[in-house]
Amino acid sequence: MQVPIFDTHQHLWDLRELRLPWVDSNPPLNRNFLLADYAAATAGYNIAKTLYMEVDVDPADLDKEAVSVLALCNSPSNPMGGAIIGCRPADPDFPTYTEKWSQFPEIRGMRQVLHAGAPTGFCTTPDFVNGVQLLGQLGLTFDICIKPSELAYAAALADLCPHTQFILDHCGNADITWQDTSKERAIWLSGIEDIAKRSNVACKISGIVVTAKDAAWKSVDLSPYVEKCVEAFGIDRVLFGGDWPVCTLQASLSRWIDALAEITSGWTIEDQHRIWHENGERIYGV
């Protein structure tokens, strides 16, 4: 594939420096994943630029994560063009934290993982909303990683924060093994159609390979979810994300790229450029 790739969801971590409690229960991920490993995983692919995505560190390590990723962004040895750092919008000290890191142009936005551990509806509580509104005021984005059953709360958050740019991660955490007639798939479909009505929300085409139940998945298993997101959001509000190394729970990054390339192979070259790099560059301001 000749189209340049902007990977808007690049995880990296060094467990000698940062604590990631969630990897303790994920043995395949409970090791270091460094820039050299990413380079090896993408060898031969046209990775023009990457965006670091926060890795759900222990809250005590949030500042340390920001410091380490800024060093990576400023290193000429890698294509990292910016970073999304971790945050806790509802915390009392969030304004101080956010204003400090917003001074660095490499920091393009923030994220708090909501699909694991956060109470239902947490993202619409007043303190959380106030924090996310502040992000918009400072020109920073917010990535939404939430359960499919809670997409309505994400839509409500977008309504409450009209000046904040949101990116919905992982196709709204769709599960590619859902039966067509399942209740869970119907809830996701309704949620995607609803949240896509918010013009300040974009959709990241990423992460869905990890829901495969075996290694025999094919691009045809992914395409209904990709196509639904493109239909709902429109071609100008969808963007590619690699989700490495989390994707390796079911697929190498190269296999995920190849699968999406196959899905998009019939698109116009202009639309391929949009999903692979142009939309991500515009939406994140990288």
Side-chain angles (χ1 to χ4, degrees):
M1 186 179 69
Q2 298 304 309
V3 176
I5 297 173
F6 175 26
D7 185 350
T8 65
H9 212 91
Q10 177 196 32
H11 297 303
L12 298 169
W13 59 77
D14 186 338
L15 297 180
R16 296 167 297 185
E17 297 182 3
L18 300 173
R19 290 168 292 173
L20 283 65
W22 62 275
V23 302
D24 293 341
S25 58
N26 288 276
L29 300 178
N30 195 10
R31 64 177 182 84
N32 294 338
F33 288 90
L34 308 177
L35 194 58
D37 301 312
Y38 180 83
T42 56
Y45 288 82
N46 191 10
I47 306 294
K49 194 178 302 181
T50 68
L51 183 75
Y52 172 85
M53 178 55 61
E54 67 91 22
V55 294
D56 200 17
V57 299
D58 184 291
D61 283 352
L62 285 171
D63 282 302
K64 190 183 293 186
E65 177 188 35
V67 170
S68 65
V69 76
L70 279 172
L72 287 173
C73 287
N74 291 312
S75 170
S77 64
N78 72 79
M80 189 178 290
I84 305 302
I85 60 172
C87 71
R88 297 296 183 272
D91 283 3
D93 63 350
F94 182 69
T96 301
Y97 174 85
T98 305
E99 289 167 10
K100 174 175 64 176
W101 294 115
S102 69
Q103 304 304 311
F104 296 88
E106 299 89 348
I107 305 299
R108 305 310 311 144
M110 299 188 182
R111 181 178 81 155
Q112 178 178 355
V113 171
L114 298 170
H115 74 277
T120 299
F122 178 62
C123 68
T124 57
T125 56
D127 288 342
F128 195 100
V129 171
N130 289 339
V132 177
Q133 288 174 342
L134 176 60
L135 291 177
Q137 294 166 17
L138 295 172
L140 298 174
T141 66
F142 186 74
D143 270 61
I144 305 174
C145 193
I146 201 164
K147 296 175 183 177
S149 60
E150 295 184 23
L151 284 169
Y153 291 108
L157 176 64
D159 286 339
L160 292 165
C161 306
H163 302 298
T164 303
Q165 173 66 62
F166 294 90
I167 300 89
L168 179 66
D169 292 341
H170 309 331
C171 300
N173 280 304
D175 186 329
I176 68 168
T177 66
W178 282 327
Q179 297 297 313
D180 288 349
T181 57
S182 70
K183 178 182 178 181
E184 292 80 6
R185 189 171 190 272
I187 290 171
W188 173 80
L189 284 168
S190 176
I192 285 293
E193 290 171 355
D194 183 43
I195 196 170
K197 295 174 183 176
R198 280 72 182 173
S199 60
N200 59 331
V201 183
C203 183
K204 189 173 294 185
I205 307 300
S206 62
I208 53 178
V209 294
V210 299
T211 64
K213 294 300 183 284
D214 59 59
W217 65 268
K218 299 180 176 61
S219 61
V220 68
D221 300 317
L222 311 179
S223 59
Y225 299 93
V226 174
E227 291 165 2
K228 180 60 188 179
C229 290
V230 175
E231 173 194 330
F233 284 88
I235 191 59
D236 290 322
R237 287 193 290 143
V238 290
L239 54 154
F240 166 73
D243 195 30
W244 181 92
V246 180
C247 68
T248 62
L249 292 173
Q250 280 295 355
S252 64
L253 180 52
S254 60
R255 188 178 175 195
W256 161 228
I257 293 173
D258 289 345
L260 187 58
E262 184 176 344
I263 292 169
T264 61
S265 61
W267 297 11
T268 66
I269 190 65
E270 292 82 8
D271 285 351
Q272 290 183 45
H273 277 278
R274 287 183 177 96
I275 193 173
W276 286 106
H277 70 99
E278 289 180 354
N279 292 344
E281 291 167 351
R282 186 189 74 254
I283 290 166
Y284 281 113
V286 175

